[in-house]
Amino acid sequence: MSVLVVGSIALDTVKTPFEEHADLLGGSASYAALGASFFSPVNLVGVVGDDFPPAHMETFRSRQIDLNGLQTVPGKTFRWSGEYMLDMNVRETRSVELNVFEHFTPVLPETYRETPVVLLANIGPNLQNHVLDQMERPRFVVADTMDLWINIAHAELMRLLPRLDLLILNDSEARLLTKETSLIKAGAKIRAMGPGHVVIKKGEHGALLFGENRFFSCGAYPLEDIHDPTGAGDTFAGGLAGWLAAQGGASVTFADLRKAVVYGSVLASFNVEAFSLTRMHSLSMNDIEARYEAFRLMQQFEVLD
Ligand code: AMP
């Protein structure tokens, strides 16, 4: 089964304390689509300008991502630039240029409208709602969001939440949305706003999954070297949604979601090992399964005697 991914497609400039690279392939949809492509076919919806490098287009094609929903319009591609501090959990946005994104209206090709699993990667909730309006009864809808939309598009985000089976956001965003310090209280409070399930990401400290009277806590895979944390959350969401789509997506159980969260974490852990999406080029299913198993053993507890 396929997954539809909509979000930003960007040219990123990323600086860490050790390296700086410009015009990298970035954007929430790029990371999410590549993450999902390891498990299921992907239908990509987004926009780029006529300056978008053919090599980046080739990156999507090399993962067999369907590009019928990708618009190329006159003008410049969305650009984002960020700088990481020595503590790579801390990032400053240096600049954002909306460019062709400013007037983007996602139009779904007819062939995309019945895609069973939908991943609304991070973009404005008005666009996320607009995509859902065009879908024919999707089986499972996942969305990601960010502090910007909680602050400037609150009403539109509130309209989106009841339409979701799963909302993914990070710890500071969960606190901003609920005004709660406790993430456990925040998870329950966000579920009460509408989504069937909530995942709260905690960066290098893992993720929490909330369902109806159900809870799962997953650590992050321990890595010695993180080269570029950009897109870790989007890759997580892509891996999670792609894995769910591969299971058929008909009736998603809490056990499925637990496993999907672990696969998402594994995919994200690979992606941060290199800048942009470089690590995805050499990644194999064997690598993914081996890390899943290593991760499983690390997280295992013995039963009390
Ligand atoms: P993350 O590291 O998960 O926050 O995702 C970083 C990616 O999000 C970068 O590749 C950016 O191009 C993209 N991005 C940054 N700001 C926005 C925005 N306002 N809307 C959509 N995508 C964005």
Side-chain angles (χ1 to χ4, degrees), residues 10-305:
L11 296 176
D12 286 350
T13 297
V14 177
K15 187 174 189 298
T16 70
F18 315 104
E19 281 176 85
E20 179 167 1
H21 295 278
D23 294 337
L24 300 163
L25 175 57
S28 58
S30 306
Y31 285 105
L34 263 87
S37 73
F38 283 89
F39 302 108
S40 67
V42 176
N43 296 331
L44 181 63
V45 178
V47 66
V48 294
D50 48 20
D51 61 346
F52 193 66
H56 291 345
M57 209 62 103
E58 200 41 48
T59 297
F60 294 133
R61 290 206 184 93
S62 70
R63 298 287 325 150
Q64 282 82 46
I65 291 167
D66 188 306
L67 301 177
N68 281 315
L70 178 62
Q71 303 172 27
T72 303
V73 302
K76 286 166 84 181
T77 301
F78 173 67
R79 283 181 176 267
W80 173 85
S81 168
E83 176 171 359
Y84 291 90
M85 307 300 129
L86 204 55
D87 172 355
M88 290 235 206
N89 288 306
V90 184
R91 176 175 82 191
E92 267 174 28
T93 295
R94 287 158 131 198
S95 64
V96 178
E97 288 174 41
L98 289 179
N99 300 330
V100 295
F101 213 178
E102 199 171 348
H103 302 292
F104 173 50
T105 307
V107 180
L108 268 50
E110 206 54 54
T111 50
Y112 280 22
R113 291 175 197 245
E114 290 184 10
T115 314
V117 176
V118 180
L119 172 53
L120 307 167
N122 178 34
I123 42 166
N126 57 328
L127 298 181
Q128 292 174 317
N129 272 315
H130 185 64
V131 166
L132 278 189
D133 291 343
Q134 298 171 65
M135 296 298 301
E136 308 275 350
R137 294 178 302 283
R139 296 192 189 178
F140 202 84
V141 181
V142 183
D144 190 3
T145 193
M146 72 186 294
D147 49 359
L148 177 69
W149 313 123
I150 297 171
N151 285 324
I152 72 165
H154 193 265
E156 194 70 36
L157 181 62
M158 286 298 138
R159 196 167 79 78
L160 176 74
L161 295 187
R163 308 179 78 183
L164 304 178
D165 297 291
L166 171 63
L167 176 71
I168 302 176
L169 71 181
N170 71 27
D171 42 8
S172 62
E173 292 155 356
R175 290 189 171 110
L176 178 68
L177 185 58
T178 61
K179 312 277 182 280
E180 291 286 354
T181 347
S182 153
L183 293 180
I184 308 302
K185 280 188 184 163
K189 216 163 166 178
I190 297 169
R191 274 200 67 245
M193 294 173 185
H197 303 85
V198 174
V199 166
I200 300 182
K201 298 169 290 176
K202 301 184 294 171
E204 63 177 334
H205 304 297
L208 307 174
L209 166 66
F210 300 82
E212 194 176 2
N213 302 319
R214 308 295 290 271
F215 176 75
F216 175 57
S217 171
C218 176
Y221 185 82
L223 288 173
E224 272 190 25
D225 291 313
I226 295 180
H227 287 271
D228 176 12
T230 311
D234 310 307
T235 310
F236 169 89
L240 179 153
W243 187 84
L244 284 181
Q247 309 316 301
S251 61
V252 175
T253 65
F254 197 77
D256 291 333
L257 280 171
R258 283 170 62 124
K259 227 168 161 182
V261 164
V262 180
Y263 273 107
S265 306
V266 167
L267 259 290
S269 76
F270 280 114
N271 200 60
V272 301
E273 289 178 348
F275 268 75
S276 177
L277 286 148
T278 316
R279 183 65 181 92
M280 296 290 115
H281 290 287
S282 60
L283 188 63
S284 71
M285 266 324 281
N286 281 345
D287 297 332
I288 294 170
E289 296 297 3
R291 188 166 287 184
Y292 183 100
E293 181 57 13
F295 197 23
R296 190 182 74 76
L297 294 173
M298 275 174 208
Q299 300 259 324
Q300 190 173 289
F301 284 100
E302 300 307 323
V303 174
L304 284 178
D305 292 326

